[in-house]
Amino acid sequence: MADAQRSITTRRLVLEPLSDGHADAVVRLFSAPEMSTYLGADLSDRERARTMVRARLAYAGPPELGHWVLLLDGVPVGLAHLRPSHELPGGLPEIGWYLDARYGGRGLATEAARALLRYGLDEVRLSSVWALVHVDNAPSLRVAARLGFLPVGEGEHYGGPHRVHVALPGRGR
């Protein structure tokens, strides 16, 4: 079982634990207007994006979980998390992935989410991993399906309608 958040390397990406050194790059990434489409908050205002990054940097949950910057050839192209949910009851482990639209359509979000899902289920030994995906976010819904997430319902989360998915050990990925 993992006891500290660590970097994860995939075929094309390095998922590096979010640190102060990533803050400006992540603010730039999230202040692009298209990044806010399904977030329930307009982060195109850089100060709002900076507040979001600060909140993620202040993560104080289980040490093996947290937030990761997605690096492609050393360039930040996205952000992902695997952490206790603020939206689901009981702090269930929630995964999320965000990718710069300029890098969409290459399978990078799937690659990153697959790596985090395997890390959570196989190394950290979580009993489940949950994903909340906006009902209109077709690319992320496809990622969830590719990874074997089971749709289990819908609800209002993060300021909008989301599908609730769960991944269990031994299924998909």
Side-chain angles (χ1 to χ4, degrees):
M1 180 165 156
D3 58 2
Q5 186 185 14
R6 65 171 183 81
S7 293
I8 301 169
T9 302
T10 71
R11 188 170 66 80
R12 298 176 291 174
L13 298 168
V14 174
L15 285 66
E16 197 169 279
L18 178 65
S19 70
D20 288 330
H22 300 116
D24 289 339
V26 175
V27 166
R28 279 191 301 277
L29 182 74
F30 274 88
S31 61
E34 61 273 8
M35 287 297 279
S36 294
T37 303
Y38 305 110
L39 293 181
D42 181 5
L43 298 180
S44 61
D45 172 339
R46 280 191 183 243
E47 201 44 49
R48 237 187 212 167
R50 193 166 303 287
T51 298
M52 180 275 298
V53 171
R54 273 193 229 107
R56 289 174 185 255
L57 284 167
Y59 170 78
E64 67 276 15
L65 304 180
H67 304 271
W68 284 261
V69 174
L70 313 181
L71 301 170
L72 177 65
D73 298 324
V75 175
V77 298
L79 189 68
H81 66 256
L82 180 60
R83 55 157 172 76
S85 179
H86 305 295
E87 293 285 321
L88 296 171
L92 290 167
E94 180 187 332
I95 191 172
W97 51 86
Y98 312 91
L99 187 68
D100 183 327
R102 296 174 296 177
Y103 295 90
R106 301 181 195 180
L108 295 171
T110 301
E111 189 173 323
R114 178 176 284 121
L116 269 185
L117 183 59
R118 285 180 176 159
Y119 170 75
L121 293 174
D122 299 342
E123 290 184 43
V124 180
R125 314 290 276 170
L126 298 171
S127 61
S128 62
V129 173
W130 296 76
L132 300 172
V133 182
H134 194 283
V135 297
D136 295 329
N137 189 342
S140 283
L141 291 169
R142 287 191 296 272
V143 168
R146 272 187 217 108
L147 297 180
F149 276 88
L150 303 168
V152 294
E154 289 189 13
E156 284 291 313
H157 299 285
Y158 299 110
H162 282 66
R163 292 213 177 112
V164 179
H165 299 83
V166 65
L168 303 169
R171 275 195 114 272
R173 304 191 307 254

